[in-house]
Amino acid sequence: MATPKASPSAKKPSKAGAAPPFTPDAAAVADWPAKRSVTGTSTGATVDEAVRPDAELDITYKTQFRFYRFWQTRVPTPAWFGTGESSDLPARVEKAPHGDVVLDADERLCQLDVKDQTTVRVGKQTLSLQLGESEKRSLPYWFPAGAKLPPEVRVNDPKWKWKPPQKQPNSSPDNQWGLRGDFQFRTTSPDLEANTRNYKMVTVWQRWKDDAKCYTGEKTSKGVAVPPMCTQPLGIYAGFVRVMGNHQSQEERAKYPAIWIGYTWNADASEWGLGVLGWVLKNPQSTKLTTSIFIHPGNFPNWFLGCMAPGPAEKQTEWGFKSKDDTSQAMWDILAAVGVKKKEYIETTKYLEPDKKHRKWFLIRVKAESPSVVAADGWKDCPIWV
């Protein structure tokens, strides 16, 4: 998919700055020596003095994820076939209180939405049910998650003792909708040692909380639940190491080392434009021109506001990374590789509004694995906007 066009309401960011002093073509080769001689001139050798960024990032979107929570059974668990609709569920549970199926102990279920839960009356008690897709069976089921069950609901085994399913430890704390993929970093500056590193990445374009029960940016009776966010579409961008606008104290700088993404390459005009035209919410036709997208560590483990984070491949999970420290360490390693010292980033003002001397430039290419990525929505196939 081509980079989306600005909507009529999209305004150019008011904050201006010096455009990147390089073009994508000038930075096409990663490993440049300090001086590159070119023969064939009348005066002998000339020196290639093209300006290049300090580093390049190649980001590839590969997998979509969307889920609310992962559950894991601990004992054989009665369950009822689920279709997303619960209108006939009470009658089905009354007819078969032992379940349409019995889930094995240690089955994992993916609950896609906070709304996928209900209650039914069984005998004199209420039975709370969650809807989740079984990883093992590839089908959705309503399953009990309460500490106690009505006596009518049980497994036909005299030794059976109920233990409710548990929420998978360290899984997504809020509803998450985003993308995972590859994140390759390499230095290009002749003043720095050539350095290529391969990470994984995550970006969350949608988040919604249990108590809000609405998507990011949607209004509730008390106002907007969570600020709207956007994530980067495919394209070529540029930015530099810079402290995030809402994390300027030393304590916050220590938590969130960041790379600001501020410019988009306009191939038609062969020039850089200030601002990144991002996807807003879940609508690929809805865009927002912004200068507030950063590459930065996740909160825990995957909370972002339209931004993204790199992390070690072995630490990536289905919803992000195992811990915030995984993304923090990756960011500090990347900043160190372009000459940004952690102590200076935290304790000085050099990277609040970096001058020309302290701008460590990144060329950022965002693409997708194929023209039509089909990826996991929980465990269901769902195309993303490419």
Side-chain angles (χ1 to χ4, degrees):
M1 175 179 172
T3 301
K5 303 297 182 183
S7 64
S9 62
K11 298 180 180 180
K12 188 176 181 65
S14 59
K15 193 169 187 177
F22 53 85
T23 66
D25 290 341
V29 178
D31 191 13
W32 294 93
K35 293 184 178 180
R36 183 168 179 262
S37 297
V38 181
T39 59
T41 67
S42 59
T43 57
T46 60
V47 176
D48 181 352
E49 296 179 342
V51 177
R52 297 179 179 86
D54 297 285
E56 295 182 49
L57 298 177
D58 281 340
I59 296 164
T60 305
Y61 295 150
K62 299 184 72 174
T63 303
Q64 179 186 184
F65 62 88
R66 179 193 174 206
F67 38 66
Y68 164 56
R69 178 175 291 149
F70 285 96
W71 296 83
Q72 192 159 4
T73 58
R74 296 187 291 169
V75 296
T77 299
W80 295 264
F81 293 118
T83 60
E85 297 291 337
S86 59
S87 57
D88 66 337
L89 191 59
R92 290 197 286 120
V93 173
E94 183 179 1
K95 183 178 180 181
H98 292 214
D100 296 330
V101 299
V102 175
L103 303 177
D104 298 329
D106 298 324
E107 279 201 43
R108 199 163 67 125
L109 299 112
C110 176
Q111 186 175 346
L112 297 182
D113 203 310
V114 66
K115 300 173 184 177
D116 294 337
Q117 51 188 311
T118 189
T119 58
V120 299
R121 193 76 177 174
V122 180
K124 297 180 179 181
Q125 297 184 31
T126 298
L127 176 65
S128 298
L129 297 170
Q130 312 283 339
L131 179 66
E133 183 176 346
S134 166
E135 182 179 29
K136 177 180 179 180
R137 304 163 191 258
S138 298
L139 288 171
Y141 296 95
W142 290 100
F143 62 94
K148 293 183 179 181
L149 297 182
E152 294 87 349
V153 178
R154 58 180 295 106
V155 169
N156 288 322
D157 183 342
K159 297 181 180 180
W160 180 79
K161 186 177 181 180
W162 171 243
K163 289 184 180 180
Q166 62 183 354
K167 300 170 187 176
Q168 184 172 332
N170 296 325
S171 63
S172 184
D174 267 355
N175 298 268
Q176 301 285 333
W177 194 341
L179 297 167
R180 300 192 308 271
D182 294 336
F183 186 107
Q184 185 183 72
F185 160 81
R186 56 183 176 272
T187 56
T188 63
S189 171
D191 299 323
L192 298 169
E193 182 180 353
N195 188 327
T196 299
R197 301 178 188 181
N198 292 306
Y199 297 98
K200 295 296 183 179
M201 57 71 59
V202 61
T203 178
V204 174
W205 67 41
Q206 193 64 247
R207 189 176 83 214
W208 64 107
K209 291 182 176 294
D210 298 358
D211 54 357
K213 297 184 179 179
C214 70
Y215 291 105
T216 307
E218 292 182 347
K219 291 183 178 180
T220 66
S221 60
K222 296 181 180 180
V224 176
V226 186
M229 64 180 76
C230 61
T231 201
Q232 284 181 277
L234 313 185
I236 299 176
Y237 308 94
F240 47 81
V241 177
R242 180 180 180 181
V243 173
M244 295 175 67
N246 57 341
H247 296 292
Q248 295 201 355
S249 69
Q250 288 193 10
E251 181 181 0
E252 291 290 284
R253 283 182 244 168
K255 292 180 179 179
Y256 298 103
I259 300 167
W260 174 62
I261 307 175
Y263 296 89
T264 302
W265 179 250
N266 184 334
D268 294 335
S270 295
E271 65 181 14
W272 292 104
L274 180 65
V276 174
L277 194 61
W279 283 322
V280 177
L281 302 178
K282 306 175 296 299
N283 182 0
Q285 305 304 317
S286 179
T287 57
K288 176 183 179 181
L289 196 60
T290 178
T291 54
S292 297
I293 290 183
F294 288 80
I295 298 172
H296 65 85
N299 298 349
F300 178 81
N302 55 350
W303 294 359
F304 302 95
L305 294 178
C307 302
M308 66 176 68
E314 68 274 14
K315 298 295 184 68
Q316 190 180 45
T317 66
E318 289 161 299
W319 50 83
F321 295 93
K322 291 183 178 179
S323 76
K324 176 182 179 295
D325 291 341
D326 298 329
T327 54
S328 295
Q329 188 58 53
M331 286 300 302
W332 285 122
D333 290 345
I334 289 171
L335 267 58
V338 296
V340 176
K341 297 179 180 179
K342 185 175 182 178
K343 184 178 179 68
E344 289 187 348
Y345 186 92
I346 296 172
E347 297 182 4
T348 73
T349 60
K350 292 179 181 179
Y351 298 101
L352 291 176
E353 292 290 345
D355 55 23
K356 184 177 180 181
K357 179 181 177 181
H358 292 98
R359 288 187 179 181
K360 302 298 182 180
W361 283 100
F362 287 73
L363 176 69
I364 303 158
R365 297 182 181 90
V366 179
K367 54 190 177 183
E369 188 173 47
S370 68
S372 181
V373 176
V374 176
D377 182 2
W379 290 299
K380 296 180 180 178
D381 288 340
C382 184
I384 63 173
W385 308 320
V386 294

